[in-house]
């Protein structure tokens, strides 16, 4: 019996080698690049099959290498599937269901989305989120770019100033919000104290920075201060990638500082600015911790003037236990971020083509 197996094995190897020889000859006479690439792939498959038959191994060397490679990424991929991918898919499905976490799940169809139009708290959260994004993104971009341009020059103590600018980003959010709230305290803070003693603002007219209409302004200013150091580092990397020869040529042509920025610095930083704007926009739509820490007060609950979409999603899901409706709000947030990102990518692509 083993002899018969050996004979069959030799015949199969011979047959494969004959087909391989024909395929190699066909590749040499083929002029179509697509067909040629497919033939080359088949040649590799034939070689692996022949090596497998000759060695008698169940797994080829390439298969073993693939298994080893996949074994390295498997733990991370399994964790991603369990803790990220599956919850995302479930959230998409939950937007069309009705569930409170304990009773049986019921089909709701589009009822959860229909409720959004009559929900004044959702409208307030959506409005606050959009205003926060519109105020934070351009201000942070301008502040970080200006800071990067200044600290890219040869100034005394440049390294110290770069470190101080980056410090708010890496510092504990709890600590810096506590300091910020002390600075802007309505009655004891130095900011209002300066307004009262220097500018003679009446006690009853002193601004309430973390309530009413000023709470969004406080959130915007705080976000700009906290994140401009991080994006300053990104802009610094872009500035250092610009050739100094361009500035030298512009100086020889008599260009002033503004003209150098307009015709050299800004165009050269277009890809960096695009990255900064996309990341800033996504992060602003996801704002939650800053709103809670600045405007949450002792109870951690936000008023209508400070409620943002992510907080509203949390409130409906884990306080009211209306999981289907909270998932519908989350889908709205997802679609908004997706649309804004697509528009930005298309705008950048159109700009590069021009």
């Amino acid at each position: 019996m083993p002899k018969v197996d050996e004979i069959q094995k030799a015949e199969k190897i011979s047959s494969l080698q004959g087909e391989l020889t024909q395929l190699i000859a066909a590749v040499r006479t083929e002029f179509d690049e697509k067909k040629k690439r497919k033939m080359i792939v088949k040649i590799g498959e034939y070689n692996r099959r022949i090596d497998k038959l000759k060695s008698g191994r169940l797994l080829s060397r390439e298969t073993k290498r693939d298994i080893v490679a996949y074994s390295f990424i498997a733990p991370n991929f399994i964790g991603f599937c369990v803790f990220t991918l599956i919850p995302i898919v479930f959230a998409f499905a939950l937007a069309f269901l009705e569930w409170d976490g304990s009773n049986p799940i019921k089909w709701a169809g589009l009822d959860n989305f229909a409720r959004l139009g009559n929900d004044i708290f959702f409208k307030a959260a959506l409005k606050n989120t959009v205003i926060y994004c519109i105020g934070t993104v351009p201000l942070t971009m301008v502040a970080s770019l200006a800071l990067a341009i200044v600290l890219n020059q040869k100034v005394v103590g440049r390294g110290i100033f770069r470190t101080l600018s980056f410090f708010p980003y890496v510092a504990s959010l709890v600590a810096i919000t506590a300091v910020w709230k002390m600075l802007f305290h309505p009655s004891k803070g130095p900011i209002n104290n300066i307004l009262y003693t220097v500018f003679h603002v009446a006690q009853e007219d002193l601004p309430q920075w973390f309530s009413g209409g000023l709470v969004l302004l406080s959130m915007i200013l705080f976000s700009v201060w906290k994140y401009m150091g991080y994006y300053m580092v990104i802009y610094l990397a872009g500035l250092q990638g610009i050739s100094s020869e361009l500035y030298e040529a512009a100086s020889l042509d008599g260009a002033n500082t503004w003209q150098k920025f307009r015709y050299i610095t800004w165009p050269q930083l277009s890809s960096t600015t695009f990255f900064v704007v996309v990341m800033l926009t996504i992060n602003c739509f996801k704002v939650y911790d800053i709103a809670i820490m600045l405007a949450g007060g002792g109870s951690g609950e936000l008023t209508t003037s400070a409620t943002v979409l992510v907080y509203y999603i949390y409130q409906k899901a884990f306080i009211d236990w209306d999981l289907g409706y909270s998932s519908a709000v989350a889908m709205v947030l997802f679609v908004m971020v997706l649309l804004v990102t697509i528009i930005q990518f298309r705008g950048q692509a159109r700009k590069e083509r021009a």
Side-chain angles (χ1 to χ4, degrees):
M1 192 71 182
K3 292 183 179 179
V4 176
D5 291 340
E6 291 295 330
I7 292 172
Q8 291 178 348
K9 180 179 176 181
E11 289 177 352
K12 194 168 184 180
I13 292 173
S14 177
S15 174
L16 289 173
Q17 286 178 338
E19 294 176 8
L20 178 61
T21 303
Q22 294 176 1
L23 193 58
I24 293 173
V27 168
R28 293 174 180 173
T29 58
E30 182 60 56
F31 295 100
D32 191 338
E33 290 297 328
K34 290 184 178 179
K35 292 182 179 179
K36 202 169 185 177
R37 282 195 293 268
K38 291 181 180 179
M39 290 179 179
I40 292 172
V41 172
K42 286 185 178 180
I43 289 174
E45 293 176 357
Y46 274 106
N47 284 322
R48 284 191 289 272
R49 291 172 63 186
I50 292 171
D51 290 340
K52 184 178 177 181
L53 288 171
K54 287 181 178 180
S55 62
R57 294 191 297 264
L58 294 176
L59 298 175
S60 64
R61 184 178 299 175
E62 288 79 7
T63 304
K64 290 181 178 179
R65 289 176 179 173
D66 291 341
I67 292 174
V68 171
Y70 287 129
S71 67
F72 278 106
I73 66 173
N76 188 41
F77 182 72
I78 293 172
F80 168 76
C81 290
V82 172
F83 297 107
T84 303
L85 184 61
I86 294 175
I88 289 174
V89 174
F90 185 62
F92 271 98
L94 201 58
F96 302 94
L97 304 172
E98 182 182 341
W99 190 38
D100 61 0
S102 56
N103 294 316
I105 299 176
K106 298 179 182 178
W107 174 255
L110 297 176
D111 292 346
N112 290 326
F113 295 96
R115 289 171 56 187
L116 296 173
N118 299 322
D119 190 345
I120 58 174
F121 297 104
F122 166 74
K123 293 179 181 178
L126 178 62
K127 176 185 175 183
N128 293 337
T129 304
V130 172
I131 292 174
Y132 174 80
C133 290
I134 293 174
T136 304
V137 172
L139 285 178
T140 306
M141 186 187 70
V142 171
S144 57
L145 177 57
L147 199 59
I149 291 174
V150 171
L151 296 182
N152 194 45
Q153 309 298 321
K154 294 180 179 180
V155 295
V156 179
R158 181 173 60 178
I160 297 174
F161 287 115
R162 287 179 178 178
T163 304
L164 292 175
S165 300
F166 190 71
F167 177 76
Y169 178 76
V170 297
S172 169
L173 179 65
V174 176
I176 59 177
T177 49
V179 173
W180 193 273
K181 291 181 77 170
M182 286 189 291
L183 291 173
F184 288 86
H185 193 276
S187 58
K188 302 177 182 178
I191 303 299
N192 277 8
N193 190 29
I194 292 173
L195 293 176
Y196 178 73
T197 56
V198 177
F199 296 96
H200 306 292
V201 178
Q203 186 75 35
E204 60 274 10
D205 295 331
L206 289 175
Q208 304 292 318
W209 295 101
F210 303 114
S211 62
L214 289 177
V215 63
L216 279 178
L217 177 62
S218 300
M219 288 171 55
I220 291 170
L221 294 177
F222 178 84
S223 300
V224 173
W225 173 75
K226 177 172 175 57
Y227 292 110
M228 67 180 183
Y230 171 73
Y231 294 105
M232 174 205 71
V233 174
I234 297 175
Y235 270 121
L236 275 174
L239 287 170
Q240 292 173 5
I242 302 175
S243 175
S244 59
E245 296 178 356
L246 296 174
Y247 294 106
E248 293 174 1
S251 298
L252 292 174
D253 289 338
N256 55 33
T257 304
W258 167 248
Q259 290 172 331
K260 290 179 182 178
F261 172 80
R262 180 180 177 183
Y263 296 107
I264 299 177
T265 305
W266 183 248
Q268 292 291 319
L269 290 176
S270 60
S271 58
T272 305
T273 302
F274 170 69
F275 172 79
V276 168
V277 171
V278 170
M279 296 303 297
L280 266 173
T281 304
I282 294 174
N283 289 333
C284 287
F285 273 112
K286 297 190 303 180
V287 64
Y288 171 80
D289 48 0
I290 292 176
I292 289 291
M293 295 304 301
L294 284 181
S299 62
E301 296 182 1
L302 296 179
T303 61
T304 307
S305 58
T307 299
V308 289
L309 278 176
V310 176
Y311 173 80
Y312 190 61
I313 293 169
Y314 163 79
Q315 185 182 46
K316 298 304 292 184
F318 300 109
I319 297 178
D320 300 339
W321 287 101
D322 194 351
L323 298 174
Y325 185 65
S326 67
S327 296
V329 179
M331 292 307 103
V332 173
L333 177 61
F334 169 77
V335 170
M336 288 175 58
V337 174
L338 181 64
L339 289 176
V340 171
T341 305
I342 290 174
I343 292 171
Q344 290 172 335
F345 269 91
R346 288 188 174 181
Q348 179 69 12
R350 193 179 298 111
K351 184 178 178 180
E352 290 177 353
R353 286 195 299 268

